Amino acid sequence: SSSRARPLSAVWAWPHSSSTPGAWACRTTAAMIFNFYIFDRKGTCMYYQEWNRPFNSFADMENSADEDQKLIFGMLFSLKELVSNMSPSKGTEGLHLVKTSRFTLHHLETASGIRFVLNTDSNTVGSLRSNLQHIYGHIFVEYVAKNPLYDPLSNDPIDSPLFERHLQTYLEGLSCFR
């Protein structure tokens, strides 16, 4: 038996949950979500959730979460600059995903500079950008941005049980969540 990954075919289909209108899910076999970040425009991590992270090189460090978050944001910032400098036309949408042999990083940057990052294993076929757009437009905006206690200029992490519950329910409804 070979340890090489076999190519997967993807079928774009509606998630099983009826509470996720307008969100397409990439249907694959054996795909999983590792973690999810939300960064503000300055690079502060506003929200982080981890599910199935197989390896964390920062696990033994005292400030492991901070180091990990700085590394992810720094990489996104650098790649976005590289992509925009290499683009033949100005005003293109920029960085959507980064795929390696071990993981796929799905990225969405909003007009206000908030970045949504979802890391999945490399078996995830295609982009989950529409899912990130759904998280932004239907979960973040509804349960964070419209909350009168939310201050977009503060460096405070998101503290909204409603946001967390709806995000968890939505992500668990995706085929790549296991």
Side-chain angles (χ1 to χ4, degrees):
S1 137
S2 174
S3 63
R4 300 183 117 192
R6 286 184 245 149
L8 299 174
S9 60
V11 177
W12 294 94
W14 290 104
H16 294 293
S17 169
S18 62
S19 65
T20 54
W24 290 87
C26 181
R27 310 294 282 181
T28 67
T29 58
M32 76 170 65
I33 294 175
F34 295 146
N35 50 28
F36 177 72
Y37 303 83
I38 300 176
F39 294 101
D40 69 10
R41 65 182 327 152
K42 298 175 194 168
T44 302
C45 187
M46 301 167 53
Y47 184 81
Y48 176 74
Q49 181 66 44
E50 185 172 300
W51 292 278
N52 298 305
R53 190 168 181 175
F55 179 72
N56 182 356
S57 60
F58 298 110
D60 296 334
M61 294 178 62
E62 190 174 313
N63 296 324
S64 65
D66 290 341
E67 290 300 319
D68 181 52
Q69 293 161 5
K70 288 177 188 175
L71 184 65
I72 293 292
F73 185 81
M75 181 192 69
L76 289 172
F77 183 83
S78 298
L79 285 175
K80 180 187 172 197
E81 288 299 309
L82 177 68
V83 168
S84 67
N85 288 335
M86 292 180 68
S87 175
S89 61
K90 296 295 179 200
T92 58
E93 290 188 37
L95 182 66
H96 294 202
L97 75 94
V98 175
K99 188 169 182 90
T100 73
S101 63
R102 302 217 176 223
F103 74 93
T104 303
L105 181 147
H106 306 268
H107 175 258
L108 171 71
E109 183 174 4
T110 68
S112 60
I114 297 173
R115 295 173 187 227
F116 294 79
V117 178
L118 185 65
N119 288 315
T120 63
D121 70 0
S122 59
N123 290 331
T124 304
V125 178
S127 172
L128 297 180
R129 184 171 174 80
S130 63
N131 299 99
L132 292 175
Q133 289 169 331
H134 178 85
I135 291 169
Y136 170 64
H138 297 280
I139 301 173
F140 179 84
V141 169
E142 288 300 316
Y143 301 105
V144 177
K146 289 183 179 179
N147 184 335
L149 300 176
Y150 171 65
D151 179 6
L153 301 177
S154 77
N155 287 335
D156 296 334
I158 294 171
D159 182 22
S160 170
L162 276 175
F163 168 76
E164 289 183 26
R165 184 175 55 213
H166 285 274
L167 176 66
Q168 186 77 19
T169 300
Y170 178 74
L171 290 175
E172 286 175 359
L174 298 179
S175 64
C176 52
F177 186 90
R178 65 172 171 104

